Amino acid sequence: GGVIVLRSSGGETIAQTAGGQIRIGESGGSVRAETSGGSIVLDAARGPVRAETAGGSINLYRLQGAVQAVTAAGKILAQIAAQPETFAASELETAFGDIEVYLPPDLPLTIDATIEMATGHKILTDFPLQIEEGQARYQPAVVRGSGPVNGGGALLRIRTVGGNIEIRKLS
């Protein structure tokens, strides 16, 4: 139940704590970071990444492979710098918080983004997605943005119950 700080790792990294922040520098392999109550920060990873927290933000930079990031309450920021041969199906999900994703402009993938309770929230994207805004009647509207990017490829699923989704080009 404390803070974990790892400057760098040459291979697989597993960091788990019952309650505290996790900070990981550059990793040469896969990363699994899990905390019950704290934020997660990862500087870079060459392999797949799995980051989970029950309450806190997740900030992931310079990812080369697939990512699964889940938080119950917090913002997710993911900077995916993968190549077509290293990127695989990925998921970013928060119950209450914004999700901000940066992607290479030429990465072929398929995006499926949803805001389940979109009252006052939007999907903002630099990519050509079909945005569907549901009509609110007895409950808040659902907003969904989906479509293939650069001819389509591995699925990137983005979900928030209450928050904005931004999908930007990595520069």
Side-chain angles (χ1 to χ4, degrees), residues 40-53:
I40 298 172
V41 178
L42 171 62
D43 186 41
R46 289 197 183 114
V49 172
R50 180 183 174 108
E52 292 184 36
T53 178

mmCIF file with all atom_site columns, all heavy atoms in Angstrom, residues 40-53:
data_model
loop_
_atom_site.group_PDB
_atom_site.id
_atom_site.type_symbol
_atom_site.label_atom_id
_atom_site.label_alt_id
_atom_site.label_comp_id
_atom_site.label_asym_id
_atom_site.label_entity_id
_atom_site.label_seq_id
_atom_site.pdbx_PDB_ins_code
_atom_site.Cartn_x
_atom_site.Cartn_y
_atom_site.Cartn_z
_atom_site.occupancy
_atom_site.B_iso_or_equiv
_atom_site.pdbx_formal_charge
_atom_site.auth_seq_id
_atom_site.auth_comp_id
_atom_site.auth_asym_id
_atom_site.auth_atom_id
_atom_site.pdbx_PDB_model_num
ATOM 1   N N   . ILE A 1 40 ? -1.402 6.405  -12.265 1.00 0.00 ? 40 ILE A N   1
ATOM 2   C CA  . ILE A 1 40 ? -0.370 5.621  -12.935 1.00 0.00 ? 40 ILE A CA  1
ATOM 3   C C   . ILE A 1 40 ? 0.245  6.482  -14.028 1.00 0.00 ? 40 ILE A C   1
ATOM 4   O O   . ILE A 1 40 ? -0.475 7.091  -14.821 1.00 0.00 ? 40 ILE A O   1
ATOM 5   C CB  . ILE A 1 40 ? -0.957 4.332  -13.551 1.00 0.00 ? 40 ILE A CB  1
ATOM 6   C CG1 . ILE A 1 40 ? -1.536 3.430  -12.459 1.00 0.00 ? 40 ILE A CG1 1
ATOM 7   C CG2 . ILE A 1 40 ? 0.092  3.596  -14.384 1.00 0.00 ? 40 ILE A CG2 1
ATOM 8   C CD1 . ILE A 1 40 ? -2.308 2.234  -12.985 1.00 0.00 ? 40 ILE A CD1 1
ATOM 9   N N   . VAL A 1 41 ? 1.583  6.527  -14.048 1.00 0.00 ? 41 VAL A N   1
ATOM 10  C CA  . VAL A 1 41 ? 2.309  7.262  -15.075 1.00 0.00 ? 41 VAL A CA  1
ATOM 11  C C   . VAL A 1 41 ? 3.356  6.319  -15.663 1.00 0.00 ? 41 VAL A C   1
ATOM 12  O O   . VAL A 1 41 ? 4.136  5.710  -14.925 1.00 0.00 ? 41 VAL A O   1
ATOM 13  C CB  . VAL A 1 41 ? 2.995  8.523  -14.515 1.00 0.00 ? 41 VAL A CB  1
ATOM 14  C CG1 . VAL A 1 41 ? 3.779  9.240  -15.609 1.00 0.00 ? 41 VAL A CG1 1
ATOM 15  C CG2 . VAL A 1 41 ? 1.978  9.465  -13.884 1.00 0.00 ? 41 VAL A CG2 1
ATOM 16  N N   . LEU A 1 42 ? 3.364  6.202  -16.988 1.00 0.00 ? 42 LEU A N   1
ATOM 17  C CA  . LEU A 1 42 ? 4.335  5.372  -17.699 1.00 0.00 ? 42 LEU A CA  1
ATOM 18  C C   . LEU A 1 42 ? 4.973  6.221  -18.786 1.00 0.00 ? 42 LEU A C   1
ATOM 19  O O   . LEU A 1 42 ? 4.267  6.807  -19.608 1.00 0.00 ? 42 LEU A O   1
ATOM 20  C CB  . LEU A 1 42 ? 3.640  4.145  -18.315 1.00 0.00 ? 42 LEU A CB  1
ATOM 21  C CG  . LEU A 1 42 ? 4.462  3.281  -19.258 1.00 0.00 ? 42 LEU A CG  1
ATOM 22  C CD1 . LEU A 1 42 ? 5.664  2.679  -18.548 1.00 0.00 ? 42 LEU A CD1 1
ATOM 23  C CD2 . LEU A 1 42 ? 3.590  2.204  -19.869 1.00 0.00 ? 42 LEU A CD2 1
ATOM 24  N N   . ASP A 1 43 ? 6.318  6.278  -18.788 1.00 0.00 ? 43 ASP A N   1
ATOM 25  C CA  . ASP A 1 43 ? 7.016  7.136  -19.739 1.00 0.00 ? 43 ASP A CA  1
ATOM 26  C C   . ASP A 1 43 ? 7.107  6.520  -21.124 1.00 0.00 ? 43 ASP A C   1
ATOM 27  O O   . ASP A 1 43 ? 6.971  7.215  -22.120 1.00 0.00 ? 43 ASP A O   1
ATOM 28  C CB  . ASP A 1 43 ? 8.404  7.497  -19.225 1.00 0.00 ? 43 ASP A CB  1
ATOM 29  C CG  . ASP A 1 43 ? 9.094  8.500  -20.122 1.00 0.00 ? 43 ASP A CG  1
ATOM 30  O OD1 . ASP A 1 43 ? 8.429  9.439  -20.582 1.00 0.00 ? 43 ASP A OD1 1
ATOM 31  O OD2 . ASP A 1 43 ? 10.296 8.330  -20.399 1.00 0.00 ? 43 ASP A OD2 1
ATOM 32  N N   . ALA A 1 44 ? 7.351  5.211  -21.236 1.00 0.00 ? 44 ALA A N   1
ATOM 33  C CA  . ALA A 1 44 ? 7.474  4.571  -22.551 1.00 0.00 ? 44 ALA A CA  1
ATOM 34  C C   . ALA A 1 44 ? 7.446  3.061  -22.368 1.00 0.00 ? 44 ALA A C   1
ATOM 35  O O   . ALA A 1 44 ? 7.895  2.551  -21.346 1.00 0.00 ? 44 ALA A O   1
ATOM 36  C CB  . ALA A 1 44 ? 8.764  4.980  -23.246 1.00 0.00 ? 44 ALA A CB  1
ATOM 37  N N   . ALA A 1 45 ? 6.918  2.360  -23.382 1.00 0.00 ? 45 ALA A N   1
ATOM 38  C CA  . ALA A 1 45 ? 6.915  0.900  -23.333 1.00 0.00 ? 45 ALA A CA  1
ATOM 39  C C   . ALA A 1 45 ? 6.977  0.344  -24.742 1.00 0.00 ? 45 ALA A C   1
ATOM 40  O O   . ALA A 1 45 ? 6.271  0.814  -25.633 1.00 0.00 ? 45 ALA A O   1
ATOM 41  C CB  . ALA A 1 45 ? 5.672  0.381  -22.619 1.00 0.00 ? 45 ALA A CB  1
ATOM 42  N N   . ARG A 1 46 ? 7.806  -0.682 -24.934 1.00 0.00 ? 46 ARG A N   1
ATOM 43  C CA  . ARG A 1 46 ? 7.920  -1.330 -26.238 1.00 0.00 ? 46 ARG A CA  1
ATOM 44  C C   . ARG A 1 46 ? 6.906  -2.439 -26.416 1.00 0.00 ? 46 ARG A C   1
ATOM 45  O O   . ARG A 1 46 ? 6.564  -2.800 -27.525 1.00 0.00 ? 46 ARG A O   1
ATOM 46  C CB  . ARG A 1 46 ? 9.333  -1.871 -26.427 1.00 0.00 ? 46 ARG A CB  1
ATOM 47  C CG  . ARG A 1 46 ? 10.333 -0.772 -26.626 1.00 0.00 ? 46 ARG A CG  1
ATOM 48  C CD  . ARG A 1 46 ? 11.636 -1.302 -27.207 1.00 0.00 ? 46 ARG A CD  1
ATOM 49  N NE  . ARG A 1 46 ? 12.578 -0.208 -27.305 1.00 0.00 ? 46 ARG A NE  1
ATOM 50  C CZ  . ARG A 1 46 ? 13.691 -0.134 -26.606 1.00 0.00 ? 46 ARG A CZ  1
ATOM 51  N NH1 . ARG A 1 46 ? 14.023 -1.102 -25.792 1.00 0.00 ? 46 ARG A NH1 1
ATOM 52  N NH2 . ARG A 1 46 ? 14.485 0.897  -26.745 1.00 0.00 ? 46 ARG A NH2 1
ATOM 53  N N   . GLY A 1 47 ? 6.420  -3.016 -25.313 1.00 0.00 ? 47 GLY A N   1
ATOM 54  C CA  . GLY A 1 47 ? 5.469  -4.113 -25.389 1.00 0.00 ? 47 GLY A CA  1
ATOM 55  C C   . GLY A 1 47 ? 4.074  -3.681 -24.996 1.00 0.00 ? 47 GLY A C   1
ATOM 56  O O   . GLY A 1 47 ? 3.810  -2.507 -24.766 1.00 0.00 ? 47 GLY A O   1
ATOM 57  N N   . PRO A 1 48 ? 3.157  -4.647 -24.899 1.00 0.00 ? 48 PRO A N   1
ATOM 58  C CA  . PRO A 1 48 ? 1.783  -4.333 -24.499 1.00 0.00 ? 48 PRO A CA  1
ATOM 59  C C   . PRO A 1 48 ? 1.727  -3.749 -23.087 1.00 0.00 ? 48 PRO A C   1
ATOM 60  O O   . PRO A 1 48 ? 2.533  -4.108 -22.228 1.00 0.00 ? 48 PRO A O   1
ATOM 61  C CB  . PRO A 1 48 ? 1.063  -5.677 -24.556 1.00 0.00 ? 48 PRO A CB  1
ATOM 62  C CG  . PRO A 1 48 ? 2.022  -6.668 -25.096 1.00 0.00 ? 48 PRO A CG  1
ATOM 63  C CD  . PRO A 1 48 ? 3.366  -6.057 -25.163 1.00 0.00 ? 48 PRO A CD  1
ATOM 64  N N   . VAL A 1 49 ? 0.736  -2.883 -22.857 1.00 0.00 ? 49 VAL A N   1
ATOM 65  C CA  . VAL A 1 49 ? 0.580  -2.212 -21.567 1.00 0.00 ? 49 VAL A CA  1
ATOM 66  C C   . VAL A 1 49 ? -0.811 -2.472 -21.025 1.00 0.00 ? 49 VAL A C   1
ATOM 67  O O   . VAL A 1 49 ? -1.806 -2.346 -21.749 1.00 0.00 ? 49 VAL A O   1
ATOM 68  C CB  . VAL A 1 49 ? 0.803  -0.683 -21.704 1.00 0.00 ? 49 VAL A CB  1
ATOM 69  C CG1 . VAL A 1 49 ? 0.456  0.044  -20.419 1.00 0.00 ? 49 VAL A CG1 1
ATOM 70  C CG2 . VAL A 1 49 ? 2.233  -0.398 -22.118 1.00 0.00 ? 49 VAL A CG2 1
ATOM 71  N N   . ARG A 1 50 ? -0.859 -2.817 -19.731 1.00 0.00 ? 50 ARG A N   1
ATOM 72  C CA  . ARG A 1 50 ? -2.130 -2.948 -19.012 1.00 0.00 ? 50 ARG A CA  1
ATOM 73  C C   . ARG A 1 50 ? -2.007 -2.093 -17.761 1.00 0.00 ? 50 ARG A C   1
ATOM 74  O O   . ARG A 1 50 ? -1.146 -2.347 -16.911 1.00 0.00 ? 50 ARG A O   1
ATOM 75  C CB  . ARG A 1 50 ? -2.385 -4.402 -18.652 1.00 0.00 ? 50 ARG A CB  1
ATOM 76  C CG  . ARG A 1 50 ? -3.678 -4.614 -17.909 1.00 0.00 ? 50 ARG A CG  1
ATOM 77  C CD  . ARG A 1 50 ? -3.823 -6.092 -17.525 1.00 0.00 ? 50 ARG A CD  1
ATOM 78  N NE  . ARG A 1 50 ? -4.983 -6.269 -16.697 1.00 0.00 ? 50 ARG A NE  1
ATOM 79  C CZ  . ARG A 1 50 ? -6.094 -6.858 -17.088 1.00 0.00 ? 50 ARG A CZ  1
ATOM 80  N NH1 . ARG A 1 50 ? -6.190 -7.341 -18.313 1.00 0.00 ? 50 ARG A NH1 1
ATOM 81  N NH2 . ARG A 1 50 ? -7.105 -6.986 -16.272 1.00 0.00 ? 50 ARG A NH2 1
ATOM 82  N N   . ALA A 1 51 ? -2.869 -1.068 -17.648 1.00 0.00 ? 51 ALA A N   1
ATOM 83  C CA  . ALA A 1 51 ? -2.846 -0.154 -16.506 1.00 0.00 ? 51 ALA A CA  1
ATOM 84  C C   . ALA A 1 51 ? -4.249 -0.063 -15.928 1.00 0.00 ? 51 ALA A C   1
ATOM 85  O O   . ALA A 1 51 ? -5.192 0.269  -16.643 1.00 0.00 ? 51 ALA A O   1
ATOM 86  C CB  . ALA A 1 51 ? -2.356 1.220  -16.945 1.00 0.00 ? 51 ALA A CB  1
ATOM 87  N N   . GLU A 1 52 ? -4.375 -0.363 -14.619 1.00 0.00 ? 52 GLU A N   1
ATOM 88  C CA  . GLU A 1 52 ? -5.682 -0.332 -13.965 1.00 0.00 ? 52 GLU A CA  1
ATOM 89  C C   . GLU A 1 52 ? -5.578 0.355  -12.614 1.00 0.00 ? 52 GLU A C   1
ATOM 90  O O   . GLU A 1 52 ? -4.668 0.075  -11.837 1.00 0.00 ? 52 GLU A O   1
ATOM 91  C CB  . GLU A 1 52 ? -6.205 -1.754 -13.737 1.00 0.00 ? 52 GLU A CB  1
ATOM 92  C CG  . GLU A 1 52 ? -6.560 -2.486 -14.996 1.00 0.00 ? 52 GLU A CG  1
ATOM 93  C CD  . GLU A 1 52 ? -7.162 -3.852 -14.711 1.00 0.00 ? 52 GLU A CD  1
ATOM 94  O OE1 . GLU A 1 52 ? -7.894 -3.986 -13.713 1.00 0.00 ? 52 GLU A OE1 1
ATOM 95  O OE2 . GLU A 1 52 ? -6.877 -4.777 -15.485 1.00 0.00 ? 52 GLU A OE2 1
ATOM 96  N N   . THR A 1 53 ? -6.542 1.246  -12.343 1.00 0.00 ? 53 THR A N   1
ATOM 97  C CA  . THR A 1 53 ? -6.653 1.886  -11.040 1.00 0.00 ? 53 THR A CA  1
ATOM 98  C C   . THR A 1 53 ? -8.134 2.066  -10.725 1.00 0.00 ? 53 THR A C   1
ATOM 99  O O   . THR A 1 53 ? -8.932 2.336  -11.609 1.00 0.00 ? 53 THR A O   1
ATOM 100 C CB  . THR A 1 53 ? -5.903 3.232  -10.966 1.00 0.00 ? 53 THR A CB  1
ATOM 101 O OG1 . THR A 1 53 ? -6.095 3.803  -9.670  1.00 0.00 ? 53 THR A OG1 1
ATOM 102 C CG2 . THR A 1 53 ? -6.352 4.213  -12.028 1.00 0.00 ? 53 THR A CG2 1
#
